[in-house]
PDB file of all heavy atoms in Angstrom:
ATOM      1  N   ARG A  16       1.497 -25.363  -2.289  1.00 98.00           N
ATOM      2  CA  ARG A  16       1.069 -25.541  -3.665  1.00 98.00           C
ATOM      3  C   ARG A  16       0.398 -24.304  -4.262  1.00 98.00           C
ATOM      4  O   ARG A  16       0.430 -24.042  -5.476  1.00 98.00           O
ATOM      5  CB  ARG A  16       0.077 -26.720  -3.750  1.00 98.00           C
ATOM      6  CG  ARG A  16      -0.356 -27.158  -5.150  1.00 98.00           C
ATOM      7  CD  ARG A  16      -1.472 -28.132  -5.129  1.00 98.00           C
ATOM      8  NE  ARG A  16      -2.740 -27.495  -4.656  1.00 98.00           N
ATOM      9  CZ  ARG A  16      -3.789 -28.193  -4.229  1.00 98.00           C
ATOM     10  NH1 ARG A  16      -3.731 -29.482  -4.129  1.00 98.00           N
ATOM     11  NH2 ARG A  16      -4.873 -27.549  -3.829  1.00 98.00           N
ATOM     12  N   PHE A  17      -0.240 -23.531  -3.385  1.00 98.00           N
ATOM     13  CA  PHE A  17      -1.010 -22.372  -3.898  1.00 98.00           C
ATOM     14  C   PHE A  17      -0.697 -21.137  -3.065  1.00 98.00           C
ATOM     15  O   PHE A  17      -1.049 -21.080  -1.829  1.00 98.00           O
ATOM     16  CB  PHE A  17      -2.517 -22.688  -3.823  1.00 98.00           C
ATOM     17  CG  PHE A  17      -3.430 -21.565  -4.185  1.00 98.00           C
ATOM     18  CD1 PHE A  17      -3.292 -20.899  -5.401  1.00 98.00           C
ATOM     19  CD2 PHE A  17      -4.354 -21.069  -3.284  1.00 98.00           C
ATOM     20  CE1 PHE A  17      -4.098 -19.830  -5.757  1.00 98.00           C
ATOM     21  CE2 PHE A  17      -5.156 -19.989  -3.620  1.00 98.00           C
ATOM     22  CZ  PHE A  17      -5.025 -19.399  -4.863  1.00 98.00           C
ATOM     23  N   SER A  18      -0.061 -20.112  -3.689  1.00 98.00           N
ATOM     24  CA  SER A  18       0.306 -18.932  -2.921  1.00 98.00           C
ATOM     25  C   SER A  18       0.441 -17.791  -3.962  1.00 98.00           C
ATOM     26  O   SER A  18       0.732 -17.986  -5.174  1.00 98.00           O
ATOM     27  CB  SER A  18       1.596 -19.096  -2.159  1.00 98.00           C
ATOM     28  OG  SER A  18       2.687 -19.517  -3.048  1.00 98.00           O
ATOM     29  N   THR A  19       0.183 -16.571  -3.416  1.00 98.00           N
ATOM     30  CA  THR A  19       0.285 -15.341  -4.299  1.00 98.00           C
ATOM     31  C   THR A  19       1.111 -14.336  -3.558  1.00 98.00           C
ATOM     32  O   THR A  19       0.651 -13.804  -2.521  1.00 98.00           O
ATOM     33  CB  THR A  19      -1.182 -14.828  -4.586  1.00 98.00           C
ATOM     34  OG1 THR A  19      -2.003 -15.949  -5.018  1.00 98.00           O
ATOM     35  CG2 THR A  19      -1.147 -13.821  -5.693  1.00 98.00           C
ATOM     36  N   TRP A  20       2.315 -14.114  -4.031  1.00 98.00           N
ATOM     37  CA  TRP A  20       3.305 -13.312  -3.310  1.00 98.00           C
ATOM     38  C   TRP A  20       3.327 -11.861  -3.808  1.00 98.00           C
ATOM     39  O   TRP A  20       3.189 -11.610  -5.040  1.00 98.00           O
ATOM     40  CB  TRP A  20       4.715 -13.929  -3.555  1.00 98.00           C
ATOM     41  CG  TRP A  20       4.937 -15.284  -2.978  1.00 98.00           C
ATOM     42  CD1 TRP A  20       4.231 -16.414  -3.145  1.00 98.00           C
ATOM     43  CD2 TRP A  20       6.052 -15.651  -2.120  1.00 98.00           C
ATOM     44  NE1 TRP A  20       4.733 -17.479  -2.447  1.00 98.00           N
ATOM     45  CE2 TRP A  20       5.873 -16.991  -1.863  1.00 98.00           C
ATOM     46  CE3 TRP A  20       7.064 -14.962  -1.550  1.00 98.00           C
ATOM     47  CZ2 TRP A  20       6.757 -17.739  -1.064  1.00 98.00           C
ATOM     48  CZ3 TRP A  20       8.007 -15.678  -0.773  1.00 98.00           C
ATOM     49  CH2 TRP A  20       7.826 -17.030  -0.473  1.00 98.00           C
ATOM     50  N   TYR A  21       3.629 -10.976  -2.879  1.00 98.00           N
ATOM     51  CA  TYR A  21       3.857  -9.546  -3.284  1.00 98.00           C
ATOM     52  C   TYR A  21       5.131  -9.187  -2.495  1.00 98.00           C
ATOM     53  O   TYR A  21       5.190  -9.365  -1.240  1.00 98.00           O
ATOM     54  CB  TYR A  21       2.693  -8.685  -2.807  1.00 98.00           C
ATOM     55  CG  TYR A  21       2.764  -7.259  -3.319  1.00 98.00           C
ATOM     56  CD1 TYR A  21       2.337  -6.941  -4.601  1.00 98.00           C
ATOM     57  CD2 TYR A  21       3.242  -6.252  -2.523  1.00 98.00           C
ATOM     58  CE1 TYR A  21       2.410  -5.622  -5.109  1.00 98.00           C
ATOM     59  CE2 TYR A  21       3.318  -4.945  -2.959  1.00 98.00           C
ATOM     60  CZ  TYR A  21       2.864  -4.639  -4.247  1.00 98.00           C
ATOM     61  OH  TYR A  21       2.968  -3.352  -4.713  1.00 98.00           O
ATOM     62  N   GLU A  22       6.061  -8.527  -3.206  1.00 98.00           N
ATOM     63  CA  GLU A  22       7.321  -8.174  -2.614  1.00 98.00           C
ATOM     64  C   GLU A  22       7.484  -6.678  -2.599  1.00 98.00           C
ATOM     65  O   GLU A  22       7.162  -6.031  -3.621  1.00 98.00           O
ATOM     66  CB  GLU A  22       8.500  -8.793  -3.378  1.00 98.00           C
ATOM     67  CG  GLU A  22       9.876  -8.272  -2.887  1.00 98.00           C
ATOM     68  CD  GLU A  22      11.007  -8.842  -3.690  1.00 98.00           C
ATOM     69  OE1 GLU A  22      10.779  -9.541  -4.741  1.00 98.00           O
ATOM     70  OE2 GLU A  22      12.162  -8.603  -3.343  1.00 98.00           O
ATOM     71  N   PHE A  23       7.822  -6.105  -1.449  1.00 98.00           N
ATOM     72  CA  PHE A  23       8.255  -4.717  -1.447  1.00 98.00           C
ATOM     73  C   PHE A  23       9.298  -4.515  -0.351  1.00 98.00           C
ATOM     74  O   PHE A  23       9.500  -5.294   0.516  1.00 98.00           O
ATOM     75  CB  PHE A  23       7.094  -3.755  -1.303  1.00 98.00           C
ATOM     76  CG  PHE A  23       6.348  -3.700   0.077  1.00 98.00           C
ATOM     77  CD1 PHE A  23       7.015  -3.283   1.180  1.00 98.00           C
ATOM     78  CD2 PHE A  23       5.056  -4.067   0.080  1.00 98.00           C
ATOM     79  CE1 PHE A  23       6.309  -3.175   2.447  1.00 98.00           C
ATOM     80  CE2 PHE A  23       4.345  -3.950   1.337  1.00 98.00           C
ATOM     81  CZ  PHE A  23       4.986  -3.543   2.461  1.00 98.00           C
ATOM     82  N   PHE A  24      10.014  -3.364  -0.464  1.00 98.00           N
ATOM     83  CA  PHE A  24      11.079  -3.043   0.451  1.00 98.00           C
ATOM     84  C   PHE A  24      10.480  -2.223   1.604  1.00 98.00           C
ATOM     85  O   PHE A  24       9.975  -1.104   1.369  1.00 98.00           O
ATOM     86  CB  PHE A  24      12.154  -2.245  -0.229  1.00 98.00           C
ATOM     87  CG  PHE A  24      13.070  -2.969  -1.129  1.00 98.00           C
ATOM     88  CD1 PHE A  24      12.656  -3.475  -2.352  1.00 98.00           C
ATOM     89  CD2 PHE A  24      14.382  -3.275  -0.713  1.00 98.00           C
ATOM     90  CE1 PHE A  24      13.500  -4.201  -3.180  1.00 98.00           C
ATOM     91  CE2 PHE A  24      15.237  -3.982  -1.583  1.00 98.00           C
ATOM     92  CZ  PHE A  24      14.765  -4.444  -2.766  1.00 98.00           C
ATOM     93  N   PRO A  25      10.540  -2.676   2.801  1.00 98.00           N
ATOM     94  CA  PRO A  25       9.985  -1.925   3.934  1.00 98.00           C
ATOM     95  C   PRO A  25      10.541  -0.522   4.050  1.00 98.00           C
ATOM     96  O   PRO A  25       9.855   0.396   4.460  1.00 98.00           O
ATOM     97  CB  PRO A  25      10.323  -2.772   5.134  1.00 98.00           C
ATOM     98  CG  PRO A  25      10.450  -4.194   4.633  1.00 98.00           C
ATOM     99  CD  PRO A  25      11.038  -3.997   3.270  1.00 98.00           C
ATOM    100  N   ARG A  26      11.816  -0.338   3.678  1.00 98.00           N
ATOM    101  CA  ARG A  26      12.381   0.929   3.860  1.00 98.00           C
ATOM    102  C   ARG A  26      11.828   1.976   2.811  1.00 98.00           C
ATOM    103  O   ARG A  26      12.118   3.187   2.992  1.00 98.00           O
ATOM    104  CB  ARG A  26      13.917   0.864   3.721  1.00 98.00           C
ATOM    105  CG  ARG A  26      14.438   0.526   2.328  1.00 98.00           C
ATOM    106  CD  ARG A  26      15.928   0.253   2.374  1.00 98.00           C
ATOM    107  NE  ARG A  26      16.536   0.021   1.107  1.00 98.00           N
ATOM    108  CZ  ARG A  26      17.756  -0.398   0.867  1.00 98.00           C
ATOM    109  NH1 ARG A  26      18.546  -0.630   1.910  1.00 98.00           N
ATOM    110  NH2 ARG A  26      18.256  -0.514  -0.365  1.00 98.00           N
ATOM    111  N   SER A  27      11.042   1.520   1.902  1.00 98.00           N
ATOM    112  CA  SER A  27      10.487   2.452   0.900  1.00 98.00           C
ATOM    113  C   SER A  27       9.011   2.776   1.156  1.00 98.00           C
ATOM    114  O   SER A  27       8.327   3.139   0.215  1.00 98.00           O
ATOM    115  CB  SER A  27      10.703   1.916  -0.525  1.00 98.00           C
ATOM    116  OG  SER A  27      12.034   1.854  -0.880  1.00 98.00           O
ATOM    117  N   THR A  28       8.571   2.562   2.351  1.00 98.00           N
ATOM    118  CA  THR A  28       7.110   2.662   2.599  1.00 98.00           C
ATOM    119  C   THR A  28       6.714   3.955   3.297  1.00 98.00           C
ATOM    120  O   THR A  28       5.522   4.198   3.534  1.00 98.00           O
ATOM    121  CB  THR A  28       6.668   1.513   3.466  1.00 98.00           C
ATOM    122  OG1 THR A  28       7.450   1.499   4.715  1.00 98.00           O
ATOM    123  CG2 THR A  28       6.821   0.172   2.746  1.00 98.00           C
ATOM    124  N   SER A  29       7.675   4.804   3.557  1.00 97.00           N
ATOM    125  CA  SER A  29       7.312   6.079   4.214  1.00 97.00           C
ATOM    126  C   SER A  29       6.404   6.960   3.357  1.00 97.00           C
ATOM    127  O   SER A  29       6.483   6.994   2.138  1.00 97.00           O
ATOM    128  CB  SER A  29       8.582   6.857   4.627  1.00 97.00           C
ATOM    129  OG  SER A  29       8.255   8.157   5.146  1.00 97.00           O
ATOM    130  N   GLU A  30       5.495   7.715   4.035  1.00 96.00           N
ATOM    131  CA  GLU A  30       4.674   8.653   3.271  1.00 96.00           C
ATOM    132  C   GLU A  30       5.424   9.850   2.839  1.00 96.00           C
ATOM    133  O   GLU A  30       5.025  10.572   1.966  1.00 96.00           O
ATOM    134  CB  GLU A  30       3.471   9.100   4.178  1.00 96.00           C
ATOM    135  CG  GLU A  30       2.469   7.928   4.475  1.00 96.00           C
ATOM    136  CD  GLU A  30       1.285   8.469   5.281  1.00 96.00           C
ATOM    137  OE1 GLU A  30       0.358   8.878   4.670  1.00 96.00           O
ATOM    138  OE2 GLU A  30       1.349   8.362   6.520  1.00 96.00           O
ATOM    139  N   LYS A  31       6.572  10.154   3.470  1.00 96.00           N
ATOM    140  CA  LYS A  31       7.369  11.289   3.151  1.00 96.00           C
ATOM    141  C   LYS A  31       8.551  10.935   2.296  1.00 96.00           C
ATOM    142  O   LYS A  31       9.326   9.995   2.664  1.00 96.00           O
ATOM    143  CB  LYS A  31       7.816  12.019   4.430  1.00 96.00           C
ATOM    144  CG  LYS A  31       6.697  12.514   5.286  1.00 96.00           C
ATOM    145  CD  LYS A  31       7.257  13.182   6.542  1.00 96.00           C
ATOM    146  CE  LYS A  31       6.106  13.730   7.428  1.00 96.00           C
ATOM    147  NZ  LYS A  31       6.626  14.372   8.708  1.00 96.00           N
ATOM    148  N   GLU A  32       8.727  11.645   1.168  1.00 95.00           N
ATOM    149  CA  GLU A  32       9.851  11.338   0.294  1.00 95.00           C
ATOM    150  C   GLU A  32      11.216  11.674   1.017  1.00 95.00           C
ATOM    151  O   GLU A  32      11.362  12.665   1.700  1.00 95.00           O
ATOM    152  CB  GLU A  32       9.732  12.194  -0.968  1.00 95.00           C
ATOM    153  CG  GLU A  32      10.738  11.789  -2.056  1.00 95.00           C
ATOM    154  CD  GLU A  32      10.395  12.463  -3.380  1.00 95.00           C
ATOM    155  OE1 GLU A  32       9.379  13.189  -3.458  1.00 95.00           O
ATOM    156  OE2 GLU A  32      11.149  12.242  -4.331  1.00 95.00           O
ATOM    157  N   GLY A  33      12.180  10.724   0.792  1.00 93.00           N
ATOM    158  CA  GLY A  33      13.482  10.895   1.374  1.00 93.00           C
ATOM    159  C   GLY A  33      13.603  10.411   2.791  1.00 93.00           C
ATOM    160  O   GLY A  33      14.635  10.507   3.410  1.00 93.00           O
ATOM    161  N   VAL A  34      12.531   9.886   3.343  1.00 96.00           N
ATOM    162  CA  VAL A  34      12.522   9.420   4.727  1.00 96.00           C
ATOM    163  C   VAL A  34      12.459   7.857   4.714  1.00 96.00           C
ATOM    164  O   VAL A  34      11.682   7.247   3.922  1.00 96.00           O
ATOM    165  CB  VAL A  34      11.268   9.896   5.517  1.00 96.00           C
ATOM    166  CG1 VAL A  34      11.193   9.301   6.940  1.00 96.00           C
ATOM    167  CG2 VAL A  34      11.277  11.410   5.549  1.00 96.00           C
ATOM    168  N   HIS A  35      13.321   7.250   5.545  1.00 97.00           N
ATOM    169  CA  HIS A  35      13.423   5.757   5.661  1.00 97.00           C
ATOM    170  C   HIS A  35      12.065   5.249   6.205  1.00 97.00           C
ATOM    171  O   HIS A  35      11.588   5.711   7.276  1.00 97.00           O
ATOM    172  CB  HIS A  35      14.544   5.424   6.559  1.00 97.00           C
ATOM    173  CG  HIS A  35      14.997   3.986   6.463  1.00 97.00           C
ATOM    174  ND1 HIS A  35      14.261   2.907   6.949  1.00 97.00           N
ATOM    175  CD2 HIS A  35      16.143   3.467   5.897  1.00 97.00           C
ATOM    176  CE1 HIS A  35      14.930   1.817   6.719  1.00 97.00           C
ATOM    177  NE2 HIS A  35      16.059   2.085   6.092  1.00 97.00           N
ATOM    178  N   GLY A  36      11.505   4.222   5.598  1.00 98.00           N
ATOM    179  CA  GLY A  36      10.293   3.612   6.090  1.00 98.00           C
ATOM    180  C   GLY A  36      10.510   2.729   7.277  1.00 98.00           C
ATOM    181  O   GLY A  36      11.669   2.364   7.586  1.00 98.00           O
ATOM    182  N   THR A  37       9.408   2.421   7.986  1.00 98.00           N
ATOM    183  CA  THR A  37       9.468   1.583   9.165  1.00 98.00           C
ATOM    184  C   THR A  37       8.419   0.515   9.063  1.00 98.00           C
ATOM    185  O   THR A  37       7.510   0.537   8.209  1.00 98.00           O
ATOM    186  CB  THR A  37       9.157   2.486  10.424  1.00 98.00           C
ATOM    187  OG1 THR A  37       7.731   2.916  10.362  1.00 98.00           O
ATOM    188  CG2 THR A  37      10.045   3.688  10.520  1.00 98.00           C
ATOM    189  N   PHE A  38       8.441  -0.422  10.055  1.00 98.00           N
ATOM    190  CA  PHE A  38       7.386  -1.463  10.098  1.00 98.00           C
ATOM    191  C   PHE A  38       5.993  -0.867  10.335  1.00 98.00           C
ATOM    192  O   PHE A  38       4.972  -1.387   9.844  1.00 98.00           O
ATOM    193  CB  PHE A  38       7.727  -2.476  11.190  1.00 98.00           C
ATOM    194  CG  PHE A  38       8.944  -3.353  10.893  1.00 98.00           C
ATOM    195  CD1 PHE A  38       9.847  -3.585  11.880  1.00 98.00           C
ATOM    196  CD2 PHE A  38       9.151  -3.824   9.629  1.00 98.00           C
ATOM    197  CE1 PHE A  38      10.952  -4.414  11.631  1.00 98.00           C
ATOM    198  CE2 PHE A  38      10.223  -4.604   9.329  1.00 98.00           C
ATOM    199  CZ  PHE A  38      11.186  -4.900  10.377  1.00 98.00           C
ATOM    200  N   LYS A  39       5.966   0.204  11.009  1.00 98.00           N
ATOM    201  CA  LYS A  39       4.697   0.928  11.225  1.00 98.00           C
ATOM    202  C   LYS A  39       4.144   1.519   9.890  1.00 98.00           C
ATOM    203  O   LYS A  39       2.955   1.465   9.644  1.00 98.00           O
ATOM    204  CB  LYS A  39       4.782   2.003  12.292  1.00 98.00           C
ATOM    205  CG  LYS A  39       5.026   1.466  13.681  1.00 98.00           C
ATOM    206  CD  LYS A  39       5.118   2.599  14.748  1.00 98.00           C
ATOM    207  CE  LYS A  39       5.370   1.978  16.143  1.00 98.00           C
ATOM    208  NZ  LYS A  39       5.494   3.060  17.155  1.00 98.00           N
ATOM    209  N   ASP A  40       5.045   1.966   9.023  1.00 98.00           N
ATOM    210  CA  ASP A  40       4.634   2.371   7.698  1.00 98.00           C
ATOM    211  C   ASP A  40       4.061   1.156   6.884  1.00 98.00           C
ATOM    212  O   ASP A  40       3.120   1.278   6.138  1.00 98.00           O
ATOM    213  CB  ASP A  40       5.787   2.989   6.948  1.00 98.00           C
ATOM    214  CG  ASP A  40       6.173   4.357   7.503  1.00 98.00           C
ATOM    215  OD1 ASP A  40       5.296   5.129   7.849  1.00 98.00           O
ATOM    216  OD2 ASP A  40       7.368   4.621   7.675  1.00 98.00           O
ATOM    217  N   CYS A  41       4.754   0.001   7.114  1.00 98.00           N
ATOM    218  CA  CYS A  41       4.267  -1.192   6.392  1.00 98.00           C
ATOM    219  C   CYS A  41       2.836  -1.559   6.807  1.00 98.00           C
ATOM    220  O   CYS A  41       2.063  -2.102   5.976  1.00 98.00           O
ATOM    221  CB  CYS A  41       5.227  -2.356   6.680  1.00 98.00           C
ATOM    222  SG  CYS A  41       6.904  -2.191   6.056  1.00 98.00           S
ATOM    223  N   GLU A  42       2.548  -1.383   8.072  1.00 98.00           N
ATOM    224  CA  GLU A  42       1.170  -1.708   8.566  1.00 98.00           C
ATOM    225  C   GLU A  42       0.137  -0.977   7.789  1.00 98.00           C
ATOM    226  O   GLU A  42      -0.948  -1.514   7.473  1.00 98.00           O
ATOM    227  CB  GLU A  42       1.095  -1.383  10.024  1.00 98.00           C
ATOM    228  CG  GLU A  42       1.867  -2.361  10.962  1.00 98.00           C
ATOM    229  CD  GLU A  42       1.655  -1.993  12.428  1.00 98.00           C
ATOM    230  OE1 GLU A  42       0.581  -1.371  12.775  1.00 98.00           O
ATOM    231  OE2 GLU A  42       2.490  -2.397  13.277  1.00 98.00           O
TER     232      GLU A  42
END
């Protein structure tokens, strides 16, 4: 009944541009 969602793509989480993100980046 009560939730607040945030969506993002894990592959876009890298600190470096042009680099595929990882789950560690998501952390």
Side-chain angles (χ1 to χ4, degrees):
R16 188 190 68 196
F17 174 58
S18 58
T19 312
W20 294 54
Y21 189 84
E22 175 182 5
F23 69 66
F24 285 74
R26 68 188 185 188
S27 294
T28 56
S29 174
E30 293 184 87
K31 297 180 180 180
E32 189 167 0
V34 176
H35 197 288
T37 68
F38 291 138
K39 292 182 180 179
D40 291 317
C41 294
E42 289 183 23

